[in-house]
Amino acid sequence: METLELGKIGLLIGFLLVIVGFWGILQQKNIIKIIVSFTILNTGINLVMVALGYIKGRTAPIIDDSVEQLANHNVINAIVDPVPQALVLTAIVIGFGVTSLLLAYAMKLFRAKKTLEINQFNDLKW
Amino acid sequence: MLRNFLIALVLASFGFIFLNLYNSYEPKTELTGIAAHYAENGASEVGAANLVTAVVVSYRSFDTLGEITILFLTAAIISFFLKLSNEDENKVIIHKGTSEILKTASQLLIPLIFLFGVYVFINGHLTPGGGFQGGAIIASGVVLAIMANPNMTINHTVIVWVESLSGVTVVIIGVLGIILGGGFLDSTLDGYGLGEFGTVFSAGTIPVIYSLVGLKVGAEISNILNKYQKSQKES
């Protein structure tokens, strides 16, 4: 079996996590488990984005001695793409905001019905 | 039954899309476009050793300002949403005490966690890390404090002041960039200098901005935790 490159492994695991997250959102009945599925989905997408910026044999985009040695003082040939990593930083913060809002809603919903089973919240169902 | 079938269908179609994406993916072999520009000129233009920080705080600092705003909005919405009535606000709940191990360990660990958070955001331009990460670490120290002592109250006034002051200062530094630098939120100010590459006092105003962002994020997450903790009083 041919060995997978690190970037491809990241891509595969990221896609798998996205599918697991979607499965959890659609299948689970407990609101807390749905929120956990949201964060898994979020992590998967972040992992895919970081994996897309990966370049084989290169190191993190932090310029220090090891980078300088790796490419004969030519940074451009030594580091992976910094832009996806910066975007993922933004995405993580937004994911944090969404998760904390979801948890606040879950607390309010629990106060209203004393349960977290999503099937009990059928007021808008017809 | 139909529901399970539909779920399976959705997941299978996602799997199909992802499989096609995966098969047609060709790994990059070199930096292109804007990434190449950042890699080549980042050190001389911005002076930050961590190029991700250079992108986040200097080249794309509007993004960061937006992130701070999103976090602030989240904290504000949660405060509004979990607001307690006056009766509940004054109610006192005595929680059961926690274990001795957790209490003793938290006394030792919390100062170290705070110190580590401060280290992470002050060195955000040199090492992996930065304001958001450091702020999250500080907030994790607050979580530990709440778990060790569920009856503790977080001083709301201090949090609000730290949050507002650091937010306003970031914007003021941004406006200074218009006057002394190349534009709003430019981290290289005239007369301030870039400093020696690779030291703490380098990269223009990036360490200052990231420290303020770290304080702000730590205060905001602590505020959200405070709201969660207080909402236990709700009847």
Side-chain angles (χ1 to χ4, degrees), chain A residues 4-5 7-9 11-12 15-16 18-20 22-23 26-29 51-56 58 61-64 68 74-77 79-87 89-91 93-94 96-105 107-108 111 114, chain B residues 3-4 7 10-11 14-15 18-19 21-23 25 27-31 34-40 42-43 48-52 55-56 60 63 67 70-71 74 77-78 81-83 126-128 132-133 197 210 221 224 227-229 231-235:
Chain A
L4 279 173
E5 194 186 308
K8 286 203 161 186
I9 294 174
L11 211 63
L12 261 188
F15 284 146
L16 261 179
V18 171
I19 291 176
V20 170
F22 268 116
W23 173 82
L26 295 170
Q27 185 76 52
Q28 293 297 325
K29 303 283 188 216
L52 286 179
Y54 179 76
I55 302 174
K56 198 181 175 196
R58 298 198 182 187
I62 297 172
I63 305 166
D64 57 7
E68 309 244 316
N74 193 0
V75 176
I76 196 166
N77 293 325
I79 60 169
V80 300
D81 199 340
V83 179
Q85 301 197 6
L87 294 179
L89 185 57
T90 317
V93 174
I94 292 167
F96 165 78
V98 171
T99 310
S100 54
L101 274 180
L102 285 173
L103 284 172
Y105 291 150
M107 282 168 102
K108 276 286 179 189
R111 295 268 180 238
K114 298 291 173 206
Chain B
R3 190 168 164 271
N4 282 342
I7 290 173
V10 169
L11 294 182
F14 268 115
F18 290 155
L19 199 68
L21 279 177
Y22 176 75
N23 283 333
Y25 166 69
K28 279 189 179 184
T29 50
E30 57 184 5
L31 295 180
I34 198 145
H37 175 88
Y38 291 160
E40 211 161 10
N50 185 343
L51 281 177
V52 178
V55 174
V56 167
R60 289 167 182 256
D63 277 11
E67 276 173 79
I70 284 172
L71 266 185
T74 311
I77 293 171
I78 287 176
F81 197 68
L82 296 179
K83 193 167 170 30
L126 303 175
T127 56
F132 296 98
Q133 297 88 325
F197 183 78
Y210 239 13
I221 301 181
I224 292 174
K227 292 292 169 199
Y228 282 162
Q229 186 204 14
S231 76
Q232 293 176 92
K233 289 184 192 170
E234 192 178 347
S235 47

Side-chain angles (χ1 to χ4, degrees), chain A residues 37-72:
Chain A
S37 307
F38 262 102
T39 55
I40 292 173
L41 172 63
N42 198 355
T43 314
I45 294 173
N46 290 342
L47 196 56
V48 169
M49 272 157 59
V50 172
L52 286 179
Y54 179 76
I55 302 174
K56 198 181 175 196
R58 298 198 182 187
T59 183
I62 297 172
I63 305 166
D64 57 7
D65 297 342
S66 60
V67 170
E68 309 244 316
Q69 281 163 13
L70 198 67
N72 299 326

Side-chain angles (χ1 to χ4, degrees), chain B residues 155-164 219:
Chain B
N155 192 334
H156 193 68
T157 327
V158 173
I159 287 181
V160 168
W161 273 99
V162 169
E163 193 183 327
S164 329

Side-chain angles (χ1 to χ4, degrees), chain B residues 57-193:
Chain B
V57 188
S58 187
Y59 289 116
R60 289 167 182 256
S61 36
F62 266 121
D63 277 11
T64 310
L65 202 64
E67 276 173 79
I68 299 170
T69 318
I70 284 172
L71 266 185
F72 172 73
L73 271 179
T74 311
I77 293 171
I78 287 176
S79 308
F80 170 74
F81 197 68
L82 296 179
K83 193 167 170 30
L84 297 174
S85 62
N86 279 335
E87 280 171 51
D88 288 338
E89 187 81 47
N90 295 325
K91 205 158 69 180
V92 181
I93 302 179
I94 303 297
H95 295 276
K96 210 170 70 178
T98 46
S99 81
E100 195 60 43
I101 299 173
L102 188 58
K103 274 186 203 162
T104 316
S106 73
Q107 282 172 3
L108 176 71
L109 283 176
I110 288 169
L112 289 178
I113 292 175
F114 280 4
L115 190 68
F116 181 55
V118 172
Y119 169 82
V120 166
F121 67 62
I122 286 182
N123 286 288
H125 57 305
L126 303 175
T127 56
F132 296 98
Q133 297 88 325
I137 291 170
I138 288 180
S140 74
V142 176
V143 175
L144 183 59
I146 291 178
M147 283 173 83
N149 179 12
N151 296 316
M152 75 175 268
T153 50
I154 300 173
N155 192 334
H156 193 68
T157 327
V158 173
I159 287 181
V160 168
W161 273 99
V162 169
E163 193 183 327
S164 329
L165 273 182
S166 42
V168 167
T169 319
V170 168
V171 177
I172 288 175
I173 293 174
V175 173
L176 273 182
I178 301 181
I179 304 166
L180 299 172
F184 186 53
L185 285 168
D186 187 7
S187 66
T188 54
L189 304 181
D190 288 339
Y192 189 79

